[in-house]
Amino acid sequence: MTTTAAVKQKAGRRGGSINRREAIAGYLFISPWIVGFFLFVLGPFLASLYFSFTTYSVLQPGKWVGLDNYVRALSGADRFFWKSLWNTTYYVVGMVTLRLVLGFLLALLLNKKVRGITVWRTLFYVPSIVPIVAVSIIWLFILNPKFGLVNYGLSLIGIDGPGWMTSPVWSKPGLILVSVTWVGVTMLIFLAGLQDIPSHLYEAAELDGASQWRQMINITVPLMTPTIFFNLIINIIQGFQVFAQVLVMTGGSGGAGGPLNSTRVYVLHLFELAFNQFKMGYASALAWILFIIVLLLTLVMVKTSDRWVFYN
């Protein structure tokens, strides 16, 4: 009995030593990510929180001002704060609606078993991986009020196309139209969700005489609600971070965000304060306000999701 216990104890020590070596090796392998996370994610995250309570300007040390930066933004002292937030909200509502509807319809079409379907799926997805600057420049030509493809197409049916990016009324709808470029990502997620629906449900519905429309309403849509919910949250978060295409498409001689600040979205306003006016402390406060807005909106959607999201 004593010999058996000694053998088990020795084996246990050997096993513990192996586990420690494996743990050390594992931490060494992931150490670049850990270092990068602390230096480039957590570090700046905490630094921006501190700077949001200061007048830090990059060139000079910051002075602690408490909640003054937040009060300045929310009180309307910054004349572009509420304007930029409204522009962003307008864009998010339009962009999310367009992407969800168009992405779902495309996924339905590309879920058919026909010859060459993989080619069509690729063609609809490829624009999503094109560099955003190149896409924005292409769209400037497409939306050109004089020789752009959109206005040319409208002229064929007797409609005089608007100025798009040169009109304060049509500039935000123009940006929403540009967002169609990245609908391929939403479409791909929807397509994965559609292919996860058991085929026997449709077979049973057909035997019961259900039409294609009834199958869509009673089977496809309810079982796709988790995927719709995921795409909804992802697109809302991306929408509030819109920046690059606005900077490229409106950064002419009149300054980015034109015409008449109709496309001055939140992150663009934040960028100009931080890197053009060097008001890094105030810009950090704006970043945290945006973080809180997106966080609260996400929490509300998660809290209310049990009313319409059905998990099978």
Side-chain angles (χ1 to χ4, degrees), residues 22 31-33 46 57 74 86 94 110 113 121-122 124 145 158 163 189 197 204 207 229 235 262 272 290:
E22 290 180 348
S31 59
W33 180 89
L46 297 176
S57 63
L74 299 174
W86 159 248
L110 298 177
K113 295 181 180 179
R121 291 172 182 173
T122 303
F124 278 105
I189 297 173
I197 299 177
L207 291 175
F229 178 61
N235 279 288
S262 60
E272 291 193 344
L290 179 62

Side-chain angles (χ1 to χ4, degrees), residues 129-208:
I129 60 176
V130 176
I132 192 169
V133 174
V135 168
S136 301
I137 294 174
I138 292 172
W139 271 103
L140 279 176
F141 286 98
I142 294 175
L143 295 177
N144 188 283
K146 294 182 179 180
F147 54 80
L149 292 178
V150 174
N151 281 4
Y152 174 74
L154 292 174
S155 66
L156 296 178
I157 56 176
I159 298 177
D160 188 15
W164 295 113
M165 303 310 298
T166 62
S167 167
V169 177
W170 288 96
S171 55
K172 285 189 285 292
L175 289 177
I176 293 172
L177 189 59
V178 172
S179 71
V180 173
T181 306
W182 299 277
V183 75
V185 178
T186 304
M187 173 209 73
L188 197 64
I189 297 173
F190 275 136
L191 186 59
L194 288 172
Q195 294 182 349
D196 194 46
I197 299 177
S199 59
H200 66 81
L201 296 177
Y202 294 107
E203 295 170 358
E206 289 179 2
L207 291 175
D208 290 338

Side-chain angles (χ1 to χ4, degrees), residues 12-92:
R13 286 197 299 268
R14 186 183 299 112
S17 177
I18 294 174
N19 290 336
R20 282 193 297 272
R21 288 200 298 270
E22 290 180 348
I24 292 172
Y27 282 118
L28 287 175
F29 275 115
I30 66 172
S31 59
W33 180 89
I34 294 175
V35 173
F37 173 77
F38 279 100
L39 288 180
F40 303 113
V41 179
L42 185 60
F45 185 81
L46 297 176
S48 69
L49 178 61
Y50 169 75
F51 290 142
S52 69
F53 298 105
T54 68
T55 57
Y56 181 57
S57 63
V58 180
L59 303 176
Q60 297 177 349
K63 178 183 176 183
W64 184 267
V65 293
L67 296 174
D68 286 0
N69 288 331
Y70 294 91
V71 172
R72 176 189 174 190
L74 299 174
S75 65
D78 177 2
R79 64 192 183 98
F80 290 127
F81 173 79
W82 291 108
K83 175 70 174 178
S84 63
L85 188 57
W86 159 248
N87 289 339
T88 306
T89 303
Y90 185 108
Y91 173 81
V92 169

